[in-house]
């Protein structure tokens, strides 16, 4: 991934709002409720996200799966894959 694009994606993920996540989910046909979006945002805000760090991305997805449900984890993974 182009370093500039990667930096932009990281910035967006680190400053994402609930409404923006819901908008992105609609754009990429990912079903997510407002409550789920709020939980995902809370998880993302726990640490500075680096989209290129595969271990971190997997750890975040695992946390999403544990704190919400595995289905949502898969949907967020699809969304992150689209952003890449």
């Amino acid at each position: 991934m182009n370093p500039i694009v990667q930096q932009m994606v990281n910035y967006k993920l680190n400053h994402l709002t609930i409404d923006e996540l819901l908008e992105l989910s609609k754009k990429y046909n990912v079903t997510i409720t407002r409550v789920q979006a709020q939980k995902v945002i809370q998880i993302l805000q726990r640490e500075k996200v680096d989209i290129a760090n595969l271990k971190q991305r997997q750890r975040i997805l695992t946390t999403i799966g544990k704190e919400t449900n595995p289905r949502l984890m898969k949907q967020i993974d699809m969304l992150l894959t689209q952003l890449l």
Side-chain angles (χ1 to χ4, degrees):
M1 174 185 283
N2 179 325
I4 294 171
V5 173
Q6 180 180 332
Q7 186 177 9
M8 290 171 49
V9 170
N10 285 338
Y11 181 84
K12 189 62 175 174
L13 285 174
N14 286 301
H15 295 90
L16 197 61
T17 66
I18 295 168
D19 289 331
E20 290 169 333
L21 179 55
L22 291 170
E23 187 177 312
L24 281 172
S25 69
K26 286 180 186 176
K27 180 177 179 181
Y28 293 106
N29 296 317
V30 174
T31 305
I32 183 172
T33 68
R34 179 168 279 283
V35 172
Q36 290 171 326
Q38 182 178 9
K39 187 63 180 173
V40 169
I41 295 298
Q42 288 173 348
I43 293 167
L44 290 175
Q45 290 176 346
R46 291 181 189 162
E47 60 185 295
K48 186 174 179 181
V49 177
D50 177 5
I51 194 73
N53 184 332
L54 297 177
K55 286 183 181 181
Q56 181 193 42
R57 201 165 73 215
Q58 187 59 43
R59 185 175 63 249
I60 290 170
L61 288 170
T62 300
T63 302
I64 291 170
K66 286 179 182 176
E67 294 187 22
T68 60
N69 62 62
R71 182 175 164 269
L72 179 59
M73 177 188 74
K74 289 178 184 177
Q75 291 176 316
I76 296 298
D77 187 29
M78 288 187 327
L79 185 59
L80 290 176
T81 301
Q82 294 294 326
L83 294 174
L84 291 173

